[in-house]
Amino acid sequence: MWTHIASAWSEGSQLDLYERNGLHMIRVDGWELMNGEYHASEDQLGRLAALLPNSPHPEILVGGLGLGYTLASILETLNTRIHQTQAWVTVAERSGAVLRWFGTHINPRLVATLSSGVRLIESDVADHFGEDRRWDVIVLDVDNGPRALSAPGNAVLYSARGLARCWDCLATSGHLLLWTGFEDREFIGRACAAGFSVTLQSIPLPNRTDQAHVVYVLSRERLSRDDCDQLGLCRAA
Ligand SMILES: C[S@@+](CC[C@H](N)C(=O)[O-])C[C@H]1O[C@@H](n2cnc3c(N)ncnc32)[C@H](O)[C@@H]1O
């Protein structure tokens, strides 16, 4: 049984935080936004974000925070490669309540140990797409996929215009990573038209042979076959 912990209002929607056996769940207007019971794909999203950049000082942008599994996985993986202090990680989270709850209820231990290169900012992820930025990796996990939006304003992120903006603010060998609950061939078509080389990894859901979460990797430069094999990625197009 989930226990209700806190409520908040954000842009006309009601957010509720619940806890059960140390795990958390966030609902928006009664709909589940994120549940801590199963987070293999969010973890894998973070691992790929930390493993893909070649730079010794990678700059990674993450939108949004949610329950922070992707952030935790990025930091853990960076620590095995370089050290999180060598990287810059910016997390853009639109909801102030989600950011507050992360520090007070969800993962205060992680917040207390963040290095100075890790910033959690209340903002829309698109606000960080300035042309002067050259992100090594942009991670998008703000919706259930390019067609299942948590807010109508997010549609632009997956449009030809949004993809072109991401292209412009990525480093030459940068990557845009996208979490989605469903494969979307039209989105892949737009990503290819924008110039990206697209690979993907499917992460099966437990006890479901018919359903998987998907991480799309949109790369400005085509990944080598060895890189794909090592990272467990296959070509989408
Ligand atoms: C599904 S959760 C992210 C899950 C996260 N990967 C994890 O490991 O828990 C989506 C988050 O994105 C936030 N969000 C939605 N649209 C956003 C946007 N345009 N910019 C920044 N954050 C956004 C939501 O408030 C929510 O906290």
Side-chain angles (χ1 to χ4, degrees):
M1 173 92 169
W2 291 100
T3 305
H4 184 256
I5 307 280
S7 293
W9 282 89
S10 174
E11 295 173 22
S13 296
Q14 182 176 342
L15 279 81
D16 291 290
L17 176 67
Y18 295 83
E19 191 265 349
R20 181 168 74 187
N21 300 329
L23 297 176
H24 292 88
M25 170 173 66
I26 298 173
R27 285 193 174 148
V28 179
D29 291 334
W31 293 94
E32 193 177 300
L33 177 71
M34 178 73 203
N35 176 339
E37 283 192 325
Y38 179 67
H39 48 86
S41 55
E42 287 82 0
D43 296 345
Q44 186 57 12
L45 179 66
R47 267 194 291 277
L48 289 169
L51 290 173
L52 276 161
N54 297 323
S55 161
H57 302 287
E59 297 205 26
I60 301 174
L61 170 65
V62 183
L65 178 64
L67 297 177
Y69 288 107
T70 300
L71 173 64
S73 172
I74 289 174
L75 300 179
E76 195 185 319
T77 310
L78 283 173
N79 281 337
T80 64
R81 278 192 64 201
I82 41 176
H83 189 270
Q84 63 168 280
T85 55
Q86 307 286 314
W88 295 97
V89 181
T90 300
V91 182
E93 167 54 53
R94 202 175 47 195
S95 162
V98 169
L99 279 168
R100 276 196 308 282
W101 292 341
F102 193 65
T104 52
H105 296 90
I106 299 168
N107 202 340
R109 207 182 300 170
L110 182 74
V111 172
T113 58
L114 292 179
S115 76
S116 58
V118 183
R119 303 179 304 159
L120 309 186
I121 304 175
E122 183 178 341
S123 56
D124 193 298
V125 65
D127 296 346
H128 301 268
F129 291 173
E131 281 167 24
D132 53 334
R133 291 305 310 215
R134 285 290 176 265
W135 298 106
D136 293 289
V137 175
I138 298 173
V139 177
L140 283 184
D141 181 7
V142 294
D143 295 300
N144 240 344
R147 291 164 195 252
L149 307 179
S150 65
N154 282 350
V156 69
L157 295 171
Y158 314 103
S159 67
R161 187 158 58 91
L163 288 165
R165 276 188 81 193
C166 285
W167 176 277
D168 285 343
C169 69
L170 281 169
T172 317
S173 58
H175 310 271
L176 169 63
L177 272 58
L178 172 73
W179 184 99
T180 169
F182 321 88
E183 285 215 44
D184 187 330
R185 304 303 303 178
E186 276 183 30
F187 172 74
I188 291 177
R190 282 198 300 281
C192 292
F196 288 105
S197 161
V198 186
T199 50
L200 66 84
Q201 189 173 114
S202 290
I203 297 110
L205 290 167
N207 310 320
R208 295 291 298 263
T209 49
D210 58 334
Q211 231 186 319
H213 292 156
V214 180
V215 176
Y216 284 135
V217 178
L218 279 54
S219 304
R220 281 187 51 144
E221 290 178 349
R222 194 177 165 88
L223 289 172
S224 71
R225 196 176 186 154
D226 279 356
D227 283 342
C228 288
D229 289 348
Q230 271 174 24
L231 294 167
L233 295 169
C234 58
R235 301 230 175 265

